[in-house]
Amino acid sequence: MDDKLAEFLADAVVVCLNSDPHHFIANFPPTIETIQDEVLHALRSYGFQNTADAYACYRWEGIGCAKGRSRGQIFVGNGFPADEMKRTLEWNRQRGCDTVAGLNEIVRAGKIKAWWTITGSFTRSR
């Protein structure tokens, strides 16, 4: 996320928190849950649904861990099969394109057609 955008969203959270005059009193700062609620509100209000959903899952996992309901490993990972992802990454490394930045460089250099031809059009044997 761009720094300016992150700063804008943080400012939106502060505006929401400051809308409750109760928090102006030094002895009554907002709770962490209130701050997190406002972060979710700001993300969703400005169209960052996927980020808000991921943050909500992260938040609920933290609550579950704190209360001893989960092992902390339930939400780790991205749902893709690890063995297949390792094979795919290795295949890409062998062909000099294992990152988005690497692919972008191939495209910028006008070498995508040659790379595509050399690599077999992304086909790989298992």
Side-chain angles (χ1 to χ4, degrees), residues 1 5-6 11 17 30 35 76 78 80 85 88 98-99 110 119:
M1 186 180 305
L5 181 56
D11 288 344
L17 290 168
I35 295 168
V76 176
N78 58 14
F80 294 106
M85 295 304 291
T88 301
D98 60 331
T99 64
T119 62

Side-chain angles (χ1 to χ4, degrees), residues 34-84:
T34 301
I35 295 168
Q36 290 174 339
D37 287 345
E38 295 302 343
V39 168
L40 284 170
H41 174 74
L43 287 168
R44 289 196 170 112
S45 294
Y46 290 99
F48 295 95
Q49 297 300 327
N50 291 340
T51 304
D53 291 345
Y55 181 65
C57 286
Y58 164 80
R59 191 175 164 197
W60 280 105
E61 174 61 11
I63 291 168
C65 287
K67 294 185 177 184
R69 287 193 306 246
S70 67
R71 298 181 315 274
Q73 298 160 338
I74 294 172
F75 292 105
V76 176
N78 58 14
F80 294 106
D83 290 340
E84 183 175 344

